[in-house]
Amino acid sequence: MTRKLYPALLAVTLLLAPRLSFGQTPVLGTTADFALFTAVGAFSNDGATVVTGDIGTNVGAFTGFPPGTVIGDIHVTDGASAQAATDVAVAFGSFAAITCGQVIGTTLGSGQILTPDVYCLGAASTLVGELILDAEGDPDAIFIFKIDGALSTATLSSVTLINGASLCNVYWQVNGQFEQGAGSTFRGTVVVNGAIILLEGADLYGRAVSQAGAVELHNNIVTMSQQPFAADITAGGAISFCVGGSVVLSGNLGGTWSTGATTPTITVSTSGEFYVTNTNECGTDTSNVITVTVNPLPVCAISGDLVICEGGSTELCVAAGAALYLWSTGAITNCITVTTAGIYSVTITDANGCSSTCDVTVDVTAAPVCTITGGLTICDGATTELCAPPGASSYLWSNGATTACITVSAAGAYSVTITDGAGCSSTCNVTVIVNPLPLCSITGGLVLCEGGSTELCATGTGSFLWSTGAITSCITVDMAGVYSVTITSPDGCEHLSSNRVGQPAAYLLDGRLVLCEGSDSRYGTVPSCGARRPRGHRAQAPVRCGHRHPLYCSMPAAMRRLDRTARHEGTGFLPVEHRSNDRLHHGEHRGHLLCHVASAAGCISTCAVEVIVNSAPVCVITAARCSAKADQRNFASPQERGGYLWSNGATTNCITATTPGCTPWW
């Protein structure tokens, strides 16, 4: 049981143990500059060999270059070769201090994979096929081979490096001759204590140096194995600049820029660290780093009202804190005040010297048109409507009203401020004048006599318009009624005045117009409402035959008699006494009575009636029987009929009397 666990435990211990430190690698000294060198021995070439690196011998003949090509220096018995001869001996001897990690067989290759270690081979060794050196991802991994004897490689054999293995970290110590087979490829630094022979077409990537032995080359390629040189890059201008700027970086020699470019120069316009990496089989080296800073441009934004009202202003501003401002107006502050339309721009510069420019367009909106319409001259007692243009956003009148129109009646100044949708305002005003009304009165006789006329006149100045349609200042009227006149003054004010023209009532004689023979009548004047009664007017009370009826020509106390006459038809005028009434006496069958009266206003009326006297009817009473018949006659008009009236009140033509007495009949 114990024997089975021991190998497994050992394997786990090796995996968990840290990678072995091999101490100091071989010290090459100045021989590190040589691709091929021998301290003592001839140096020859017989083909188109190309060697990158220095070559030479300190003691021995040197031939073959040309035809060979050397990319480097040739040192033959000079100071460099003398120093290299010393250093190669030191390098060979330094391997003695390196402890073997593994002892392996003397036959290498055939697909063999070796990891970093110190491998010791106890006798002359050979390389057949491919030997793979796996660094396992560690670019610093070291491979050391200590061969106690000669090393020869077979034709077309090779040493391959994988997983980060570096050519410069592969060392071979050969205590004897090193011979590389035709067409083979070998990698590493070979320190030899014997001859160095590269057969036809063999390629060596690394170096081969010997402390004693000849160097023979046959149409080979030898590239010295050494750490890559770090590039020294420089900037062609300021490495701190503003967005939009750039700088040219140069100095790359076969390396790769951090941007991925492989050109000798690059143009940089963004912030970052820039460098060059040089890589070869020995490893990687990085150039100096240049840090480029691209400063952002300052933010440029103009604030402020971009639409202003005519006559107004706006303040345009950019953020404070910049190092410098320069407006298109020449101003150098962060804010300016403008009153006119146009394009305004500003350039701002920050502390890094970076500048930005921005601009805005300012428009000027015309103020709304403000006019007040309406009658500005009115008459006393009238009103006028004042109106501002419709469509505004708001109105404010001097009387506090907020409507488009106001109605006023008082004289004075009125103003309104109108504001449109853009917030622009205008103010306008008017003065309202109130004119007094013209004086208006009508003069003239206001009492009109029938058949007469009167002149009515209006006082005042201006134009006239009467209710009759007349347009003169005076009119003549002959009818009663209300007459008015409107006077319009020169300033358009009107005043209406009116008066009533009265007509005194006409008076007619009244009384019995038909009399019984032997009677009389009294006439009096009564109002007739301006129209005479027709002739033959019926008396208001029945005429009684045998009675006297008065005939009057009298008038109210306001009347005065001018004259009075009574004319008997066919006989001339009857004399009339000066008294308040007159009578027509018995026996006068027909006549006219004229009565002239005047009112207090001086109007005269003439009343005239025709009086007719009829004979009394024959009145006979029969005793035995009532056989008496009344004579039916008209008293006042053809339509009148006679009647009966007994003393006992009966109205029939016959009565029956049973008591003694006198029974008259009317």
Side-chain angles (χ1 to χ4, degrees):
M1 184 71 175
T2 302
R3 292 178 180 177
K4 292 181 180 179
L5 291 176
Y6 181 76
L9 180 61
L10 178 60
V12 172
T13 301
L14 291 175
L15 290 173
L16 296 177
R19 183 173 298 276
L20 297 175
S21 174
F22 307 118
Q24 185 178 1
T25 58
V27 179
L28 300 179
T30 59
T31 60
D33 298 329
F34 287 85
L36 294 168
F37 178 77
T38 180
V40 178
F43 199 113
S44 64
N45 170 58
D46 61 4
T49 299
V50 177
V51 179
T52 301
D54 296 348
I55 61 175
T57 178
N58 189 47
V59 177
F62 184 87
T63 61
F65 292 91
T69 301
V70 177
I71 302 174
D73 297 327
I74 298 174
H75 298 279
V76 177
T77 314
D78 60 10
S81 64
Q83 182 61 50
T86 301
D87 291 342
V88 71
V90 173
F92 189 86
S94 65
F95 280 91
I98 299 173
T99 304
C100 293
Q102 295 185 53
V103 177
I104 60 177
T106 58
T107 300
L108 301 173
S110 299
Q112 182 182 20
I113 298 176
L114 298 176
T115 57
D117 207 340
V118 177
Y119 297 95
C120 294
L121 292 80
S125 301
T126 60
L127 172 62
V128 179
E130 182 181 24
L131 173 64
I132 300 173
L133 303 181
D134 183 0
E136 298 179 325
D138 182 4
D140 296 325
I142 297 175
F143 297 85
I144 298 176
F145 295 88
K146 297 172 63 175
I147 301 173
D148 191 11
L151 174 62
S152 62
T153 67
T155 301
L156 301 178
S157 62
S158 65
V159 175
T160 302
L161 307 179
I162 65 172
N163 293 327
S166 171
L167 176 64
C168 293
N169 290 336
V170 177
Y171 299 92
W172 303 83
Q173 182 192 40
V174 178
N175 190 16
Q177 175 180 288
F178 171 64
E179 181 182 277
Q180 185 177 344
S184 65
T185 301
F186 197 85
R187 287 179 171 85
T189 296
V190 183
V191 181
V192 181
N193 185 25
I196 300 173
I197 301 171
L198 275 61
L199 299 178
E200 183 68 27
D203 296 330
L204 172 61
Y205 294 96
R207 65 175 58 84
V209 295
S210 176
Q211 60 180 356
V215 176
E216 296 180 12
L217 302 178
H218 304 277
N219 200 25
N220 310 117
I221 293 177
V222 178
T223 299
M224 182 180 65
S225 59
Q226 62 180 9
Q227 291 291 338
F229 293 100
D232 184 13
I233 60 175
T234 58
I239 58 175
S240 178
F241 49 85
C242 305
V243 170
S246 63
V247 62
V248 176
L249 305 182
S250 60
N252 179 28
L253 297 174
T256 302
W257 290 94
S258 53
T259 61
T262 58
T263 55
T265 63
I266 59 172
T267 299
V268 176
S269 59
T270 58
S271 296
E273 294 182 343
F274 298 88
Y275 52 88
V276 171
T277 299
N278 290 92
T279 302
N280 62 19
E281 289 185 332
C282 287
T284 300
D285 204 352
T286 303
S287 70
N288 57 304
V289 177
I290 295 178
T291 301
V292 175
T293 301
V294 179
N295 297 307
L297 298 180
V299 176
C300 184
I302 300 175
S303 62
D305 293 331
L306 302 184
V307 178
I308 60 176
C309 301
E310 186 176 10
S313 64
T314 183
E315 185 179 55
L316 303 179
C317 292
V318 291
L324 179 66
Y325 303 91
L326 181 59
W327 290 86
S328 53
T329 62
I332 57 174
T333 54
N334 71 309
C335 293
I336 60 172
T337 299
V338 299
T339 59
T340 58
I343 299 175
Y344 295 87
S345 63
V346 61
T347 298
I348 60 175
T349 304
D350 62 15
N352 295 319
C354 297
S355 299
S356 292
T357 300
C358 52
D359 61 73
V360 293
T361 299
V362 173
D363 294 322
V364 176
T365 299
V369 176
C370 182
T371 57
I372 299 176
T373 58
L376 302 183
T377 301
I378 60 175
C379 301
D380 189 18
T383 62
T384 183
E385 186 179 55
L386 303 180
C387 290
S393 294
S394 65
Y395 302 86
L396 181 60
W397 290 85
S398 52
N399 64 358
T402 57
T403 54
C405 297
I406 60 172
T407 300
V408 300
S409 60
Y414 295 87
S415 65
V416 62
T417 298
I418 62 175
T419 303
D420 62 16
C424 297
S425 300
S426 291
T427 300
C428 51
N429 60 77
V430 294
T431 299
V432 174
I433 299 173
V434 177
N435 292 317
L437 298 177
L439 297 175
C440 180
S441 62
I442 299 175
T443 62
L446 302 182
V447 177
L448 178 66
C449 299
E450 183 179 9
S453 65
T454 183
E455 184 180 58
L456 303 179
C457 291
T459 61
T461 58
S463 61
F464 303 87
L465 179 60
W466 290 87
S467 55
T468 63
I471 58 174
T472 56
S473 61
C474 296
I475 60 172
T476 299
V477 300
D478 58 3
M479 293 181 64
V482 177
Y483 294 88
S484 64
V485 63
T486 298
I487 300 180
T488 303
S489 65
D491 52 27
C493 294
E494 297 180 348
H495 192 185
L496 175 68
S497 179
S498 64
N499 277 337
R500 177 181 294 277
V501 174
Q503 187 177 40
Y507 287 88
L508 296 178
L509 291 173
D510 195 14
R512 302 282 183 187
L513 301 183
V514 179
L515 303 178
C516 297
E517 185 178 3
S519 65
D520 60 10
S521 178
R522 183 180 298 262
Y523 280 80
T525 57
V526 296
S528 66
C529 299
R532 295 185 178 186
R533 298 191 182 193
R535 301 181 68 178
H537 176 67
R538 175 183 295 183
Q540 295 182 359
V543 176
R544 295 184 181 183
C545 295
H547 285 260
R548 298 176 63 86
H549 295 278
L551 178 64
Y552 291 96
C553 182
S554 60
M555 66 289 296
M559 301 290 184
R560 63 183 180 86
R561 192 191 323 252
L562 296 181
D563 59 37
R564 54 186 177 83
T565 61
R567 180 174 60 83
H568 190 276
E569 187 176 59
T571 61
F573 293 95
L574 293 175
V576 179
E577 297 181 2
H578 290 278
R579 57 185 179 181
S580 61
N581 57 74
D582 295 299
R583 294 176 181 270
L584 291 178
H585 298 283
H586 294 292
E588 298 173 350
H589 298 285
R590 184 180 297 272
H592 287 86
L593 178 64
L594 302 179
C595 182
H596 300 276
V597 295
S599 69
C603 295
I604 299 173
S605 291
T606 300
C607 302
V609 295
E610 183 180 31
V611 178
I612 300 173
V613 179
N614 294 320
S615 298
V618 177
C619 180
V620 178
I621 301 173
T622 60
R625 294 180 178 269
C626 293
S627 59
K629 179 183 291 186
D631 186 11
Q632 299 179 9
R633 300 281 305 268
N634 294 327
F635 291 97
S637 66
Q639 287 76 24
E640 290 185 3
R641 294 283 187 263
Y644 303 91
L645 179 61
W646 293 88
S647 57
N648 62 356
T651 58
T652 59
N653 65 323
C654 293
I655 62 172
T656 299
T658 60
T659 57
C662 180
T663 303
W665 172 78
W666 297 91

